[in-house]
Amino acid sequence: MREPVELRRQRILAVVESRGAVKVSALADELAVSVVTVRRDVEELARAGRLRRGHGVARPVRDPAGPPAVPAPRGADPAGDGGAVALVVPERHSYLYETLHGARTVLEEAGIRIALYLAPQSADAERPLVERALADGARGLLIAPRWRSVLSEELDYDWLAETGVPTVLMERRPRPGSTLHALDSVCSDHWYGTHLAVEHLVSLGHRRIVLAARDDSPTARSVRAAFAEIAAAHPGVDDWTVVLSSPDAVPGPGPSGAGPLPGAPSGDRRGKGDGTRDDAPDLDLTELLRERGATAAVLHGDVDALMLVQRLAESGVQVPRDCSVVAYDDVVAALGSTPLTAVAPPRAEIGRAAAELLLHRLSGAAGALGPVRRTQVLPELKVRGSAQRFTLTTI
């Protein structure tokens, strides 16, 4: 029969008060439970002021030969022990690096030590990094998993829900009802960002719109789903199409089976009312615009958008004269030969808000153990001139 949580915590307190500082790993061995379980217990006891949490150790509130511990001054390290906050983001990911820097600013201003872990592109890369960070005494976690496919995302749910330390997801929103639904998260509202793009084009008179988007990240999947929902219901859109922005914009196969099998469809077109599909291995955007009679496109992400605009120009299609374009991400959209109007998710603000939420969880202040927060921050539209009012031309 499993030991009641409060009884286990009473045993932890008894051991710590009788021996002084005790390693978390030693407590786990003595109580015959996992290190993650003891770490969680120690965290909760520290928040309640019943013991002090150190770097991989638990200490009594009152030292054997010293005065009672006093609260740290405002602005000091909330845990008072120098334990780092782990930041885990994918390597070579310029979009999330801005999120990282937003979090870094908040943590450094609070005097928090940061341990940065860059996850390689291999499958299941984040878990060993998180385990290493926890073994090194990380007391909080900010993480933006790569999650190239839905399956790779769901494979992370159970272990990420059991880190044993306060954890905040950045720019990721787990599936409703999943084990991570009740985990703190701060994310851009990509439905709203997609809405901004569609409304901008419709306001300029465009009625037939293409979305060329990736399918290898949570953001890409959110944008694709939002565009299909918005365009299908919009009275001002006569025809819409979703297609991959490049042939390598899908999750690749991996040892975990997280990606599609070789030869799986790489494109997905849905015209309003006709439900057609296109499994072509490459994208000829010029031909697609002609085929659908489309006069505007939303392109995700920025690099793919700039490449597609170049390919349009090579085919004699000028932006915005012949085709209006809105990019999605706004990392480098402004740097093209034609600066692109773009939806700009608040990347740095996502990091700042996530770090502030994590600091709140670590502070031990009133309400720090309050309800889970799922924060959405709205993107904005940066208008630069790659979209103009529709006039009848022949592409």
Side-chain angles (χ1 to χ4, degrees):
M1 182 176 178
R2 180 177 293 180
E3 181 180 40
V5 172
E6 187 55 36
L7 178 57
R8 185 177 66 243
R9 291 176 180 175
Q10 289 292 345
R11 292 176 62 195
I12 291 173
L13 286 172
V15 172
V16 171
E17 289 171 0
S18 64
R19 302 181 197 170
V22 182
K23 288 185 176 181
V24 169
S25 57
L27 285 169
D29 289 340
E30 189 162 335
L31 274 62
V33 295
S34 70
V35 171
V36 168
T37 296
V38 173
R39 187 181 290 113
R40 186 186 302 115
D41 288 341
V42 168
E43 180 75 25
E44 296 300 323
L45 291 168
R47 287 178 178 174
R50 301 169 73 183
L51 54 69
R52 290 183 295 156
R53 182 170 179 264
H55 190 68
V57 301
R59 301 187 180 95
V61 172
R62 189 184 299 269
D63 291 328
V70 296
R74 183 175 177 82
D77 183 338
D81 57 22
V85 161
L87 273 166
V88 182
V89 296
E91 66 174 348
R92 295 194 293 274
H93 201 303
S94 57
Y95 180 101
L96 288 172
Y97 282 179
E98 291 191 46
T99 301
L100 181 159
H101 288 304
R104 174 187 174 187
T105 299
V106 171
L107 295 173
E108 288 182 343
E109 288 177 353
I112 302 295
R113 187 161 59 88
I114 300 167
L116 176 62
Y117 297 84
L118 298 178
Q121 297 190 37
S122 56
D124 307 318
E126 286 86 5
R127 184 172 185 173
L129 295 180
V130 171
E131 290 175 345
R132 186 190 312 166
L134 295 176
D136 289 342
R139 56 198 169 93
L141 174 65
L142 292 173
I143 183 169
R146 191 179 298 274
W147 285 351
R148 292 200 69 199
S149 72
V150 174
L151 179 56
S152 67
E153 174 181 333
E154 294 184 345
L155 288 173
D156 283 346
Y157 282 177
D158 288 342
W159 70 263
L160 198 47
E162 298 293 333
T163 61
V165 299
T167 299
V168 180
L169 286 171
M170 301 185 299
E171 202 60 295
R172 299 291 182 256
R173 184 55 48 86
R175 173 176 52 79
S178 70
T179 54
L180 287 191
H181 191 119
L183 188 72
D184 286 325
S185 62
V186 180
C187 184
S188 298
D189 186 341
H190 295 300
W191 187 97
Y192 182 75
T194 307
H195 162 80
L196 290 177
V198 173
E199 286 297 332
H200 181 62
L201 293 171
V202 170
S203 73
L204 294 174
H206 298 281
R207 298 292 181 263
R208 306 175 76 84
I209 305 172
V210 169
L211 171 72
R214 306 187 68 83
D215 192 24
D216 59 355
S217 76
T219 296
R221 291 188 289 275
S222 294
V223 170
R224 291 167 69 90
F227 180 85
E229 176 187 339
I230 293 166
H234 201 299
V237 176
D238 295 333
D239 187 89
W240 59 273
T241 308
V242 176
V243 69
L244 287 173
S245 55
S246 71
D248 63 348
V250 293
S256 66
L261 296 173
S266 63
D268 182 6
R269 299 184 186 180
R270 301 182 187 275
K272 208 171 203 180
D274 64 17
T276 58
R277 293 185 57 88
D278 176 16
D279 297 340
D282 203 350
L283 168 67
D284 184 338
L285 186 57
T286 305
E287 179 58 32
L288 177 60
L289 293 171
R290 289 196 180 103
E291 175 189 321
R292 307 300 300 191
T295 61
V298 180
L299 307 179
H300 174 270
D302 280 7
V303 173
D304 286 341
L306 293 173
M307 293 294 294
L308 289 170
V309 169
Q310 288 178 196
R311 290 171 64 181
L312 286 175
E314 292 166 0
S315 301
V317 178
Q318 297 299 315
V319 173
R321 185 195 67 191
D322 303 315
C323 178
S324 289
V325 167
V326 176
Y328 199 105
D329 274 358
D330 199 37
V331 177
V332 293
L335 303 181
S337 56
T338 299
L340 301 181
T341 292
V343 175
R347 298 175 297 277
E349 184 56 37
I350 293 296
R352 284 192 288 268
E356 288 168 356
L357 176 54
L358 184 64
L359 288 179
H360 176 65
R361 296 301 189 202
L362 291 169
S363 68
L369 299 179
V372 169
R373 300 184 183 183
R374 290 164 60 86
T375 302
Q376 283 193 313
V377 188
L378 271 59
E380 58 182 328
L381 185 72
K382 300 290 185 67
V383 177
R384 300 192 179 97
S386 62
Q388 67 180 25
R389 186 162 296 280
F390 170 66
T391 56
L392 186 62
T393 59
T394 300
I395 295 179

